Amino acid sequence: ADTALDSKNATLVEEIRHVSKRRSNLNDALAWAAARWSVDQAVAAGATVIYLEDLRSMEAGGRGRTHNTRMSQTVRGQIADRMR
């Protein structure tokens, strides 16, 4: 085992963990902001019910269909949960 490679690997693992946590925190903040805005708009319009559409069939572009679909569904699900 090469000690230099082990050190670089540990650094990369820590960086990936940090970036993943940051992305998760940003997604959570986005979900809360979107949910708050949606509920505020509904209240301002005098709505008594908010209906959510199932958007799983929408395509996302960028880093690959599967990855983007999972990411967008995660945030959409969080928004719906926060709205409830």
Side-chain angles (χ1 to χ4, degrees):
D2 186 358
T3 308
L5 287 178
D6 288 343
S7 175
K8 288 180 181 181
N9 185 49
T11 301
L12 287 173
V13 166
E14 180 60 26
E15 184 66 21
I16 289 169
R17 187 197 63 73
H18 175 75
V19 169
S20 294
K21 185 171 176 71
R22 175 80 173 136
R23 184 182 63 206
S24 178
N25 289 340
L26 288 170
N27 283 341
D28 192 49
L30 174 65
W32 275 113
R36 181 78 254 164
W37 181 85
S38 299
V39 171
D40 287 346
Q41 293 297 311
V43 168
T48 58
V49 177
I50 299 173
Y51 290 98
L52 301 176
E53 184 177 356
D54 184 2
L55 301 173
R56 283 183 270 184
S57 62
M58 289 182 66
E59 280 189 41
R63 292 185 37 136
R65 182 178 293 175
T66 301
H67 176 76
N68 286 329
T69 299
R70 285 181 185 157
M71 290 301 296
S72 63
Q73 286 176 354
T74 298
V75 174
R76 287 184 204 139
Q78 287 177 344
I79 292 170
D81 289 343
R82 301 317 187 265
M83 286 175 73
R84 286 186 198 101

